[in-house]
Amino acid sequence: QVQLVESGGGLVRFGGSLKLSCAVRGVTLDYYVIGWFRQAPGAKREGVACLSTYDGTSDYAESVRGRFTISKDNVENTIYLEMDNLEPEDTATYYCATARGLAIEHGLQWRWFDDWGQGTLVAVSS
């Protein structure tokens, strides 16, 4: 059974940085796409970043490109989302999710993902 546990959220000021972690248990991430998604109150869930574990390709939402970086620690089986130059519009609950064998072009579309973490809250003050 796949278990994903996010951590690293918190309150940060405009322009600050946070690094989110997603610890993955119960599966070896050898042929997966890992996605980070976020959902603000009253808003739709949106894809933020995704990473293919079989060829290393990644993709980002335009709203975060150049500010967020997704990466993977193979030893710890953990996925990271490093977020720089944070803006109040980045305030949301952030979730990581996995999808085995998914094509990277679907990596920002939450409906393709099977297993989800519980989420971690990021709040950016102006």
Side-chain angles (χ1 to χ4, degrees), residues 79-112:
I79 308 298
Y80 300 101
L81 184 68
E82 189 155 4
M83 306 184 295
D84 297 317
N85 297 317
L86 283 161
E87 304 168 352
E89 292 74 19
D90 296 317
T91 295
T93 298
Y94 284 70
Y95 302 88
C96 62
T98 61
R100 194 170 194 279
L102 183 66
I104 191 68
E105 52 260 38
H106 298 302
L108 297 180
Q109 300 166 23
W110 65 267
R111 290 177 178 85
W112 292 89

Side-chain angles (χ1 to χ4, degrees), residues 24-66:
V24 182
R25 302 291 179 259
V27 67
T28 300
L29 297 172
D30 54 354
Y31 195 68
Y32 281 79
V33 169
I34 313 298
W36 280 99
F37 300 83
R38 66 185 182 188
Q39 188 165 19
K44 295 180 180 179
R45 185 169 298 191
E46 63 171 336
V48 174
C50 59
L51 174 69
S52 165
T53 64
Y54 44 94
D55 64 9
T57 56
S58 60
D59 195 14
Y60 298 88
E62 284 303 316
S63 59
V64 306
R65 192 181 299 273

Side-chain angles (χ1 to χ4, degrees), residues 12-18 67 83-87 90 124-125:
V12 64
R13 290 191 175 185
F14 177 84
S17 298
L18 281 175
R67 300 189 296 122
M83 306 184 295
D84 297 317
N85 297 317
L86 283 161
E87 304 168 352
D90 296 317
V124 184
S125 62

